[in-house]
Amino acid sequence: MRTYAFRKMTQADFRDRVRRIDASSCRNGQTKRPEKGSRRPFLNMLTGFGGAYIVMTVARNREAIEVHLADGSLSAGQQHVVLLALTVFLAVAAVALGINVFRWTMSRPKTIKRSNSSGVILGAFLAAALIYTPASVVEAGMGLLDDNSRSLLVAASEGVKSAVPVSAASIAFVSSLSGF
């Protein structure tokens, strides 16, 4: 019977074996670990911007929402349920943004989790900057534009208004639930 010499494989043996099998996965004698998660910073930024913009708009316009609810055909109980649902929505959105801030602060730099949370946080920051920018700053910025740029922006906004003929003032809450 033949005797074989068995020994435990070391990290250097493993790297040599990986280098023989797939040299492109090794760099400077170390193997590259595959990154887990997705890396879509622009999509994450758009998600953060859209979510934060909706949340901030709803949070700032509580009186207008109550007026529209009162003008609609909802009963007082149904109006209360709608306001409670909006409150829960705002709380869940605040917790989700808090989780992303926590992930961003607690993860190591240059990791996927941090970059995904970075996009969401940047989008939320841009939405806050857009909502809370004073009108005088916007007017001063429009004053800095030349006539061609200003006319281009005016034409684009008129095109959007003509393409989407719905105004926020024409929206009313209507309920067809009789037993609620």
Side-chain angles (χ1 to χ4, degrees):
M1 181 171 203
R2 290 177 84 172
T3 58
Y4 294 98
F6 290 104
R7 69 181 180 90
K8 186 176 179 180
M9 182 183 273
T10 63
Q11 194 71 14
D13 294 333
F14 175 76
R15 282 193 296 266
D16 290 339
R17 186 174 181 185
V18 169
R19 190 175 297 114
R20 281 193 311 265
I21 294 171
D22 188 14
S24 66
S25 69
C26 291
R27 181 178 34 159
N28 299 331
Q30 294 189 5
T31 59
K32 290 193 294 185
R33 293 188 175 110
E35 295 179 349
K36 294 181 180 178
S38 66
R39 186 176 280 267
R40 296 182 179 112
F42 189 70
L43 181 64
N44 291 324
M45 187 183 68
L46 285 178
T47 303
F49 179 83
Y53 189 82
I54 290 170
V55 166
M56 289 180 208
T57 303
V58 168
R60 289 186 70 188
N61 296 326
R62 180 185 170 130
E63 294 81 18
I65 291 171
E66 288 176 347
V67 168
H68 284 297
L69 284 173
D71 290 344
S73 63
L74 294 176
S75 67
Q78 291 171 338
Q79 292 175 12
H80 184 70
V81 169
V82 168
L83 287 176
L84 282 177
L86 286 175
T87 304
V88 168
F89 168 69
L90 293 175
V92 167
V95 168
L97 185 61
I99 288 171
N100 279 302
V101 169
F102 180 77
R103 285 178 65 196
W104 186 78
T105 56
M106 293 301 176
S107 64
R108 291 179 298 196
K110 297 183 181 180
T111 61
I112 296 292
K113 287 188 280 189
R114 186 165 186 160
S115 66
N116 288 342
S117 293
S118 298
V120 173
I121 293 168
L122 178 65
F125 179 76
L126 292 175
L130 180 67
I131 288 177
Y132 291 109
T133 301
S136 61
V137 173
V138 174
E139 290 174 9
M142 289 294 281
L144 293 174
L145 295 175
D146 61 346
D147 291 334
N148 292 333
S149 301
R150 195 174 307 129
S151 63
L152 178 69
L153 287 175
V154 169
S157 68
E158 288 175 3
V160 169
K161 286 179 184 176
S162 66
V164 182
V166 177
S167 67
S170 67
I171 298 174
F173 293 99
V174 180
S175 173
S176 63
L177 300 174
S178 59
F180 190 61

PDB file of all heavy atoms in Angstrom, residues 7-30:
ATOM      1  N   ARG A   7      -0.961  17.320   3.571  1.00  0.00           N
ATOM      2  CA  ARG A   7      -0.703  18.509   4.374  1.00  0.00           C
ATOM      3  C   ARG A   7      -1.840  19.499   4.163  1.00  0.00           C
ATOM      4  O   ARG A   7      -2.527  19.476   3.142  1.00  0.00           O
ATOM      5  CB  ARG A   7       0.641  19.136   4.034  1.00  0.00           C
ATOM      6  CG  ARG A   7       0.729  19.770   2.671  1.00  0.00           C
ATOM      7  CD  ARG A   7       2.135  20.348   2.457  1.00  0.00           C
ATOM      8  NE  ARG A   7       2.249  20.953   1.155  1.00  0.00           N
ATOM      9  CZ  ARG A   7       1.979  22.225   0.881  1.00  0.00           C
ATOM     10  NH1 ARG A   7       1.587  23.008   1.843  1.00  0.00           N
ATOM     11  NH2 ARG A   7       2.107  22.691  -0.336  1.00  0.00           N
ATOM     12  N   LYS A   8      -1.993  20.346   5.129  1.00  0.00           N
ATOM     13  CA  LYS A   8      -3.061  21.334   5.067  1.00  0.00           C
ATOM     14  C   LYS A   8      -2.685  22.407   4.042  1.00  0.00           C
ATOM     15  O   LYS A   8      -1.546  22.862   3.978  1.00  0.00           O
ATOM     16  CB  LYS A   8      -3.237  21.966   6.443  1.00  0.00           C
ATOM     17  CG  LYS A   8      -4.389  22.896   6.540  1.00  0.00           C
ATOM     18  CD  LYS A   8      -4.539  23.393   7.966  1.00  0.00           C
ATOM     19  CE  LYS A   8      -5.694  24.353   8.042  1.00  0.00           C
ATOM     20  NZ  LYS A   8      -5.872  24.854   9.388  1.00  0.00           N
ATOM     21  N   MET A   9      -3.666  22.787   3.230  1.00  0.00           N
ATOM     22  CA  MET A   9      -3.425  23.806   2.218  1.00  0.00           C
ATOM     23  C   MET A   9      -3.342  25.172   2.899  1.00  0.00           C
ATOM     24  O   MET A   9      -4.205  25.543   3.673  1.00  0.00           O
ATOM     25  CB  MET A   9      -4.549  23.814   1.187  1.00  0.00           C
ATOM     26  CG  MET A   9      -4.335  24.818   0.072  1.00  0.00           C
ATOM     27  SD  MET A   9      -5.696  24.884  -1.079  1.00  0.00           S
ATOM     28  CE  MET A   9      -5.222  23.609  -2.203  1.00  0.00           C
ATOM     29  N   THR A  10      -2.306  25.911   2.590  1.00  0.00           N
ATOM     30  CA  THR A  10      -2.137  27.246   3.159  1.00  0.00           C
ATOM     31  C   THR A  10      -2.766  28.282   2.226  1.00  0.00           C
ATOM     32  O   THR A  10      -3.193  27.972   1.108  1.00  0.00           O
ATOM     33  CB  THR A  10      -0.650  27.571   3.348  1.00  0.00           C
ATOM     34  OG1 THR A  10      -0.026  27.573   2.061  1.00  0.00           O
ATOM     35  CG2 THR A  10       0.028  26.544   4.264  1.00  0.00           C
ATOM     36  N   GLN A  11      -2.784  29.516   2.709  1.00  0.00           N
ATOM     37  CA  GLN A  11      -3.344  30.606   1.902  1.00  0.00           C
ATOM     38  C   GLN A  11      -2.496  30.823   0.652  1.00  0.00           C
ATOM     39  O   GLN A  11      -3.026  31.111  -0.421  1.00  0.00           O
ATOM     40  CB  GLN A  11      -3.396  31.881   2.752  1.00  0.00           C
ATOM     41  CG  GLN A  11      -4.237  32.974   2.158  1.00  0.00           C
ATOM     42  CD  GLN A  11      -5.726  32.655   2.209  1.00  0.00           C
ATOM     43  OE1 GLN A  11      -6.171  31.758   2.893  1.00  0.00           O
ATOM     44  NE2 GLN A  11      -6.496  33.393   1.463  1.00  0.00           N
ATOM     45  N   ALA A  12      -1.206  30.659   0.751  1.00  0.00           N
ATOM     46  CA  ALA A  12      -0.326  30.817  -0.415  1.00  0.00           C
ATOM     47  C   ALA A  12      -0.600  29.721  -1.446  1.00  0.00           C
ATOM     48  O   ALA A  12      -0.618  29.996  -2.659  1.00  0.00           O
ATOM     49  CB  ALA A  12       1.139  30.779   0.022  1.00  0.00           C
ATOM     50  N   ASP A  13      -0.833  28.491  -0.991  1.00  0.00           N
ATOM     51  CA  ASP A  13      -1.183  27.409  -1.916  1.00  0.00           C
ATOM     52  C   ASP A  13      -2.492  27.718  -2.634  1.00  0.00           C
ATOM     53  O   ASP A  13      -2.634  27.484  -3.837  1.00  0.00           O
ATOM     54  CB  ASP A  13      -1.310  26.082  -1.163  1.00  0.00           C
ATOM     55  CG  ASP A  13       0.010  25.608  -0.585  1.00  0.00           C
ATOM     56  OD1 ASP A  13       1.064  25.964  -1.157  1.00  0.00           O
ATOM     57  OD2 ASP A  13      -0.025  24.882   0.426  1.00  0.00           O
ATOM     58  N   PHE A  14      -3.444  28.247  -1.890  1.00  0.00           N
ATOM     59  CA  PHE A  14      -4.743  28.589  -2.488  1.00  0.00           C
ATOM     60  C   PHE A  14      -4.585  29.672  -3.549  1.00  0.00           C
ATOM     61  O   PHE A  14      -5.140  29.573  -4.641  1.00  0.00           O
ATOM     62  CB  PHE A  14      -5.707  29.037  -1.387  1.00  0.00           C
ATOM     63  CG  PHE A  14      -7.018  29.507  -1.910  1.00  0.00           C
ATOM     64  CD1 PHE A  14      -7.970  28.598  -2.360  1.00  0.00           C
ATOM     65  CD2 PHE A  14      -7.317  30.856  -1.974  1.00  0.00           C
ATOM     66  CE1 PHE A  14      -9.186  29.030  -2.852  1.00  0.00           C
ATOM     67  CE2 PHE A  14      -8.527  31.291  -2.467  1.00  0.00           C
ATOM     68  CZ  PHE A  14      -9.460  30.376  -2.912  1.00  0.00           C
ATOM     69  N   ARG A  15      -3.801  30.720  -3.242  1.00  0.00           N
ATOM     70  CA  ARG A  15      -3.590  31.791  -4.220  1.00  0.00           C
ATOM     71  C   ARG A  15      -2.879  31.278  -5.465  1.00  0.00           C
ATOM     72  O   ARG A  15      -3.222  31.672  -6.582  1.00  0.00           O
ATOM     73  CB  ARG A  15      -2.810  32.936  -3.581  1.00  0.00           C
ATOM     74  CG  ARG A  15      -3.663  33.816  -2.689  1.00  0.00           C
ATOM     75  CD  ARG A  15      -2.933  35.098  -2.344  1.00  0.00           C
ATOM     76  NE  ARG A  15      -1.729  34.858  -1.565  1.00  0.00           N
ATOM     77  CZ  ARG A  15      -1.658  34.898  -0.239  1.00  0.00           C
ATOM     78  NH1 ARG A  15      -2.736  35.172   0.457  1.00  0.00           N
ATOM     79  NH2 ARG A  15      -0.520  34.667   0.380  1.00  0.00           N
ATOM     80  N   ASP A  16      -1.909  30.406  -5.292  1.00  0.00           N
ATOM     81  CA  ASP A  16      -1.217  29.831  -6.444  1.00  0.00           C
ATOM     82  C   ASP A  16      -2.175  29.017  -7.308  1.00  0.00           C
ATOM     83  O   ASP A  16      -2.129  29.079  -8.540  1.00  0.00           O
ATOM     84  CB  ASP A  16      -0.060  28.944  -5.985  1.00  0.00           C
ATOM     85  CG  ASP A  16       1.084  29.755  -5.390  1.00  0.00           C
ATOM     86  OD1 ASP A  16       1.161  30.970  -5.696  1.00  0.00           O
ATOM     87  OD2 ASP A  16       1.878  29.176  -4.625  1.00  0.00           O
ATOM     88  N   ARG A  17      -3.032  28.257  -6.652  1.00  0.00           N
ATOM     89  CA  ARG A  17      -3.988  27.442  -7.403  1.00  0.00           C
ATOM     90  C   ARG A  17      -4.987  28.317  -8.156  1.00  0.00           C
ATOM     91  O   ARG A  17      -5.293  28.061  -9.322  1.00  0.00           O
ATOM     92  CB  ARG A  17      -4.714  26.508  -6.437  1.00  0.00           C
ATOM     93  CG  ARG A  17      -5.607  25.540  -7.123  1.00  0.00           C
ATOM     94  CD  ARG A  17      -6.164  24.568  -6.130  1.00  0.00           C
ATOM     95  NE  ARG A  17      -7.008  23.622  -6.821  1.00  0.00           N
ATOM     96  CZ  ARG A  17      -7.719  22.701  -6.222  1.00  0.00           C
ATOM     97  NH1 ARG A  17      -7.670  22.577  -4.925  1.00  0.00           N
ATOM     98  NH2 ARG A  17      -8.465  21.881  -6.904  1.00  0.00           N
ATOM     99  N   VAL A  18      -5.481  29.362  -7.510  1.00  0.00           N
ATOM    100  CA  VAL A  18      -6.408  30.271  -8.185  1.00  0.00           C
ATOM    101  C   VAL A  18      -5.709  30.971  -9.337  1.00  0.00           C
ATOM    102  O   VAL A  18      -6.279  31.146 -10.407  1.00  0.00           O
ATOM    103  CB  VAL A  18      -6.997  31.284  -7.176  1.00  0.00           C
ATOM    104  CG1 VAL A  18      -7.746  32.396  -7.886  1.00  0.00           C
ATOM    105  CG2 VAL A  18      -7.915  30.592  -6.193  1.00  0.00           C
ATOM    106  N   ARG A  19      -4.439  31.349  -9.156  1.00  0.00           N
ATOM    107  CA  ARG A  19      -3.688  32.007 -10.231  1.00  0.00           C
ATOM    108  C   ARG A  19      -3.513  31.074 -11.425  1.00  0.00           C
ATOM    109  O   ARG A  19      -3.580  31.508 -12.570  1.00  0.00           O
ATOM    110  CB  ARG A  19      -2.321  32.455  -9.707  1.00  0.00           C
ATOM    111  CG  ARG A  19      -1.578  33.353 -10.684  1.00  0.00           C
ATOM    112  CD  ARG A  19      -0.269  33.893 -10.123  1.00  0.00           C
ATOM    113  NE  ARG A  19      -0.504  34.735  -8.958  1.00  0.00           N
ATOM    114  CZ  ARG A  19      -0.106  34.447  -7.710  1.00  0.00           C
ATOM    115  NH1 ARG A  19       0.558  33.340  -7.475  1.00  0.00           N
ATOM    116  NH2 ARG A  19      -0.342  35.265  -6.726  1.00  0.00           N
ATOM    117  N   ARG A  20      -3.319  29.781 -11.159  1.00  0.00           N
ATOM    118  CA  ARG A  20      -3.193  28.823 -12.263  1.00  0.00           C
ATOM    119  C   ARG A  20      -4.519  28.655 -12.988  1.00  0.00           C
ATOM    120  O   ARG A  20      -4.562  28.516 -14.206  1.00  0.00           O
ATOM    121  CB  ARG A  20      -2.744  27.462 -11.724  1.00  0.00           C
ATOM    122  CG  ARG A  20      -1.278  27.361 -11.434  1.00  0.00           C
ATOM    123  CD  ARG A  20      -0.854  25.913 -11.216  1.00  0.00           C
ATOM    124  NE  ARG A  20      -1.689  25.189 -10.280  1.00  0.00           N
ATOM    125  CZ  ARG A  20      -1.439  25.040  -8.972  1.00  0.00           C
ATOM    126  NH1 ARG A  20      -0.361  25.593  -8.463  1.00  0.00           N
ATOM    127  NH2 ARG A  20      -2.241  24.349  -8.203  1.00  0.00           N
ATOM    128  N   ILE A  21      -5.625  28.664 -12.271  1.00  0.00           N
ATOM    129  CA  ILE A  21      -6.933  28.423 -12.887  1.00  0.00           C
ATOM    130  C   ILE A  21      -7.437  29.669 -13.596  1.00  0.00           C
ATOM    131  O   ILE A  21      -7.869  29.616 -14.745  1.00  0.00           O
ATOM    132  CB  ILE A  21      -7.942  27.953 -11.824  1.00  0.00           C
ATOM    133  CG1 ILE A  21      -7.523  26.588 -11.297  1.00  0.00           C
ATOM    134  CG2 ILE A  21      -9.345  27.890 -12.391  1.00  0.00           C
ATOM    135  CD1 ILE A  21      -8.313  26.124 -10.104  1.00  0.00           C
ATOM    136  N   ASP A  22      -7.402  30.816 -12.907  1.00  0.00           N
ATOM    137  CA  ASP A  22      -7.945  32.048 -13.483  1.00  0.00           C
ATOM    138  C   ASP A  22      -7.036  33.206 -13.095  1.00  0.00           C
ATOM    139  O   ASP A  22      -7.201  33.802 -12.031  1.00  0.00           O
ATOM    140  CB  ASP A  22      -9.370  32.279 -12.989  1.00  0.00           C
ATOM    141  CG  ASP A  22     -10.049  33.440 -13.692  1.00  0.00           C
ATOM    142  OD1 ASP A  22      -9.533  33.894 -14.724  1.00  0.00           O
ATOM    143  OD2 ASP A  22     -11.104  33.875 -13.204  1.00  0.00           O
ATOM    144  N   ALA A  23      -6.126  33.535 -13.963  1.00  0.00           N
ATOM    145  CA  ALA A  23      -5.145  34.570 -13.658  1.00  0.00           C
ATOM    146  C   ALA A  23      -5.773  35.963 -13.622  1.00  0.00           C
ATOM    147  O   ALA A  23      -5.263  36.858 -12.963  1.00  0.00           O
ATOM    148  CB  ALA A  23      -4.016  34.544 -14.682  1.00  0.00           C
ATOM    149  N   SER A  24      -6.879  36.144 -14.321  1.00  0.00           N
ATOM    150  CA  SER A  24      -7.493  37.474 -14.345  1.00  0.00           C
ATOM    151  C   SER A  24      -8.149  37.837 -13.020  1.00  0.00           C
ATOM    152  O   SER A  24      -8.384  39.012 -12.747  1.00  0.00           O
ATOM    153  CB  SER A  24      -8.528  37.552 -15.463  1.00  0.00           C
ATOM    154  OG  SER A  24      -9.608  36.680 -15.180  1.00  0.00           O
ATOM    155  N   SER A  25      -8.465  36.851 -12.197  1.00  0.00           N
ATOM    156  CA  SER A  25      -9.101  37.157 -10.919  1.00  0.00           C
ATOM    157  C   SER A  25      -8.097  37.473  -9.833  1.00  0.00           C
ATOM    158  O   SER A  25      -8.472  37.811  -8.726  1.00  0.00           O
ATOM    159  CB  SER A  25      -9.986  36.000 -10.472  1.00  0.00           C
ATOM    160  OG  SER A  25      -9.192  34.892 -10.132  1.00  0.00           O
ATOM    161  N   CYS A  26      -6.819  37.393 -10.121  1.00  0.00           N
ATOM    162  CA  CYS A  26      -5.776  37.692  -9.144  1.00  0.00           C
ATOM    163  C   CYS A  26      -5.079  38.983  -9.536  1.00  0.00           C
ATOM    164  O   CYS A  26      -4.802  39.231 -10.699  1.00  0.00           O
ATOM    165  CB  CYS A  26      -4.743  36.576  -9.085  1.00  0.00           C
ATOM    166  SG  CYS A  26      -5.374  35.073  -8.392  1.00  0.00           S
ATOM    167  N   ARG A  27      -4.789  39.757  -8.524  1.00  0.00           N
ATOM    168  CA  ARG A  27      -4.051  40.984  -8.766  1.00  0.00           C
ATOM    169  C   ARG A  27      -3.105  41.183  -7.584  1.00  0.00           C
ATOM    170  O   ARG A  27      -3.531  41.159  -6.434  1.00  0.00           O
ATOM    171  CB  ARG A  27      -5.004  42.159  -8.880  1.00  0.00           C
ATOM    172  CG  ARG A  27      -4.318  43.462  -9.159  1.00  0.00           C
ATOM    173  CD  ARG A  27      -5.292  44.572  -9.315  1.00  0.00           C
ATOM    174  NE  ARG A  27      -6.448  44.379  -8.446  1.00  0.00           N
ATOM    175  CZ  ARG A  27      -7.253  45.347  -8.069  1.00  0.00           C
ATOM    176  NH1 ARG A  27      -7.060  46.544  -8.480  1.00  0.00           N
ATOM    177  NH2 ARG A  27      -8.284  45.096  -7.298  1.00  0.00           N
ATOM    178  N   ASN A  28      -1.864  41.348  -7.843  1.00  0.00           N
ATOM    179  CA  ASN A  28      -0.834  41.529  -6.817  1.00  0.00           C
ATOM    180  C   ASN A  28      -0.816  40.376  -5.820  1.00  0.00           C
ATOM    181  O   ASN A  28      -0.619  40.569  -4.631  1.00  0.00           O
ATOM    182  CB  ASN A  28      -1.024  42.853  -6.083  1.00  0.00           C
ATOM    183  CG  ASN A  28      -0.910  44.029  -7.011  1.00  0.00           C
ATOM    184  OD1 ASN A  28      -0.205  43.960  -8.014  1.00  0.00           O
ATOM    185  ND2 ASN A  28      -1.596  45.110  -6.694  1.00  0.00           N
ATOM    186  N   GLY A  29      -1.072  39.188  -6.290  1.00  0.00           N
ATOM    187  CA  GLY A  29      -1.014  38.021  -5.432  1.00  0.00           C
ATOM    188  C   GLY A  29      -2.227  37.816  -4.561  1.00  0.00           C
ATOM    189  O   GLY A  29      -2.255  36.914  -3.749  1.00  0.00           O
ATOM    190  N   GLN A  30      -3.240  38.637  -4.701  1.00  0.00           N
ATOM    191  CA  GLN A  30      -4.432  38.474  -3.886  1.00  0.00           C
ATOM    192  C   GLN A  30      -5.630  38.284  -4.790  1.00  0.00           C
ATOM    193  O   GLN A  30      -5.692  38.821  -5.885  1.00  0.00           O
ATOM    194  CB  GLN A  30      -4.643  39.691  -2.998  1.00  0.00           C
ATOM    195  CG  GLN A  30      -3.552  39.848  -1.973  1.00  0.00           C
ATOM    196  CD  GLN A  30      -3.899  40.923  -0.972  1.00  0.00           C
ATOM    197  OE1 GLN A  30      -4.988  41.460  -1.007  1.00  0.00           O
ATOM    198  NE2 GLN A  30      -2.977  41.224  -0.090  1.00  0.00           N
TER     199      GLN A  30
END
